[in-house]
Amino acid sequence: MTHRAPALFLALALCAGAAAADAPKKTPVNAKAVEAFNKAFAGDDASAKKAAVAALAAKSSGDDADIVPILMAKVDDRQAAEAVMSALRTRTGLQAGGPGDGSADRPKRPADWQAWYGKWQEQQKTKQALAKVEKEIKKVESEIAKPDGNPATPATAAEARAEKRQAPDDLGKPVRIYFRQGGTKMYYLISRRVDADGTLVSVRVAHTDGGGEETLAADLIARIQEDAQ
């Protein structure tokens, strides 16, 4: 089963990489606007509250990840609820529900926005998880690039993927290795290298034509057919 783990890592890497590529550059939080917002909502001046909300409705005041939670904290404020919901619509592009209607997808009332906010928070957790996965993948890739656990140089990192040595005499039965980029090839499987979690890192193989040994990184391999003929 270990040969399936790199496929999962690759899929997660693609997702994480796509998420990182699509993510816009982070907008710095407008600290003065946030301070004015907190100060206004500490009092009972409705006009000051609405003006502070309007300032945070602008995308230039900061990323949604920073500003949406601030607005949501006051979505049911007695004096400024409508202004807060309007600001949230400006930021999210969501349309209000029709007369007497509202939902998490078309929020109209504070309760609808609370339902939407629960889903939004889950999405933020997913983004953070993808970022963490991307970091772990980079760590694994750096480990793969180290031959036999030694720090890799640009030259040795390349050699770690295709290092040939004299093959041992007794190699046992051959296996067939299917590659992610297409194609298959018969080898003698000498050994497997796995990490602390049991995930396949690389395999040491010998060429059946007597061409010596080679180390194949797990991310090159789609699957290994043990009973190859």
Side-chain angles (χ1 to χ4, degrees):
M1 293 183 62
T2 55
H3 63 273
R4 297 181 181 177
L8 175 59
F9 260 82
L10 180 60
L12 290 173
L14 291 174
C15 292
D22 294 339
K25 186 176 180 180
K26 187 174 177 62
T27 303
V29 174
N30 186 330
K32 290 185 178 180
V34 173
E35 182 181 0
F37 180 91
N38 292 332
K39 182 177 180 180
F41 278 85
D44 294 318
D45 187 335
S47 296
K49 290 181 180 181
K50 292 176 183 179
V53 169
L56 292 189
K59 289 287 189 177
S60 59
S61 65
D63 281 1
D64 289 346
D66 297 314
I67 303 302
V68 166
I70 296 174
L71 291 170
M72 282 301 307
K74 304 300 180 182
V75 74
D76 56 355
D77 184 83
R78 176 178 56 84
Q79 295 175 306
E82 288 297 333
V84 171
M85 290 188 288
S86 177
L88 287 167
R89 290 190 191 99
T90 297
R91 279 191 162 269
T92 62
L94 292 173
Q95 300 298 314
D101 184 29
S103 66
D105 296 322
R106 294 177 63 86
K108 180 180 180 180
R109 298 171 290 269
D112 301 330
W113 278 105
Q114 292 289 359
W116 168 86
Y117 188 50
K119 293 183 178 181
W120 182 86
Q121 287 177 308
E122 289 301 317
Q123 292 173 349
Q124 297 303 303
K125 290 179 182 179
T126 299
K127 289 180 181 179
Q128 293 173 4
L130 286 174
K132 183 177 180 180
V133 167
E134 186 178 23
K135 182 178 180 181
E136 289 298 320
I137 289 172
K138 289 181 179 179
K139 180 180 179 182
V140 171
E141 288 177 341
S142 67
E143 289 298 322
I144 292 174
K146 298 178 182 179
D148 301 324
N150 295 320
T153 65
T156 58
E159 292 168 359
R161 290 176 176 266
E163 181 185 355
K164 294 185 178 181
R165 297 177 182 173
Q166 184 61 41
D169 294 331
D170 184 12
L171 297 171
K173 294 182 179 180
V175 298
R176 180 175 294 278
I177 294 181
Y178 292 77
F179 295 95
R180 294 188 185 282
Q181 299 299 322
T184 69
K185 190 171 182 180
M186 298 290 292
Y187 295 96
Y188 292 111
L189 181 61
I190 299 173
S191 63
R192 302 171 189 259
R193 180 185 173 194
V194 298
D195 62 18
D197 298 322
T199 301
L200 183 66
V201 174
S202 63
V203 293
R204 171 74 67 181
V205 296
H207 292 258
T208 57
D209 59 2
E213 296 181 21
E214 183 175 358
T215 297
L216 299 174
D219 60 355
L220 299 176
I221 301 170
R223 68 186 180 93
I224 301 174
Q225 184 178 341
E226 303 283 355
D227 55 349
Q229 297 296 325

